[in-house]
């Protein structure tokens, strides 16, 4: 149940950011749920491989290159999902940063509800 709620909150964050950012578009709410699922799968399977492959450049840039790995994951989701589009890597980078911020806010609200 918690996993489904987290996916729905991620889909909500994707919809909110698609409304706010002109370089990001999501066609339907079902597409937003699909984006949340694909992003979680890509973060689980592809991101660790990318981190290991780019470890030297990540160390040289003191971890800032991890932001670009997140943007690449977003662009991969753009490639796989027909109703989701991101204009370029810079919009993907901004989308990634704001998505992380929204995730932390929404998931912290979810944790506060469990404490009560």
């Amino acid at each position: 149940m918690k996993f489904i709620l987290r996916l729905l909150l991620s889909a909500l964050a994707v919809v909110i950011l698609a409304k706010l950012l002109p370089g990001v578009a999501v066609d339907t709410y079902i597409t937003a749920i699909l984006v949340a699922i694909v992003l979680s799968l890509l973060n689980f399977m592809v991101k660790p491989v990318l981190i290991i492959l780019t470890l030297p450049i990540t160390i040289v840039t003191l971890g800032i290159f991890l932001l670009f790995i997140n943007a690449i994951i977003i662009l991969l989701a753009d490639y796989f999902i027909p109703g989701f589009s991101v204009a370029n890597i810079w919009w993907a980078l901004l989308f990634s940063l704001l998505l992380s911020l929204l995730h932390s806010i929404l998931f912290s609200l979810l944790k506060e509800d469990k404490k009560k």
Side-chain angles (χ1 to χ4, degrees):
M1 182 68 181
K2 184 179 177 183
F3 177 72
I4 293 172
L5 190 57
R6 289 177 71 98
L7 276 177
L8 291 176
L9 285 176
S10 293
L12 175 68
V14 168
V15 169
I16 290 170
L17 290 176
K19 300 269 186 209
L20 292 176
L21 299 175
V24 179
V26 176
D27 289 346
T28 63
Y29 294 115
I30 301 297
T31 305
I33 293 171
L34 211 65
V35 169
I37 292 169
V38 169
L39 281 178
S40 66
L41 286 174
L42 287 173
N43 280 330
F44 180 70
M45 295 178 3
V46 177
K47 189 175 180 180
V49 174
L50 286 177
I51 289 173
I52 290 171
L53 290 175
T54 61
L55 192 59
I57 193 166
T58 302
I59 291 171
V60 169
T61 61
L62 302 175
I64 293 176
F65 193 73
L66 291 173
L67 296 172
F68 285 97
I69 290 176
N70 287 338
I72 290 168
I73 295 292
I74 302 258
L75 290 174
L76 279 173
D78 172 26
Y79 177 76
F80 288 125
I81 302 170
F84 176 62
S85 65
V86 180
N88 54 35
I89 189 129
W90 301 111
W91 284 113
L93 186 64
L94 183 61
F95 180 80
S96 170
L97 288 170
L98 293 176
L99 186 65
S100 296
L101 179 69
L102 271 177
H103 274 167
S104 64
I105 291 170
L106 292 173
F107 294 160
S108 70
L109 292 175
L110 181 64
K111 287 180 184 177
E112 286 180 11
D113 286 341
K114 288 205 168 212
K115 289 181 183 177
K116 292 182 182 178

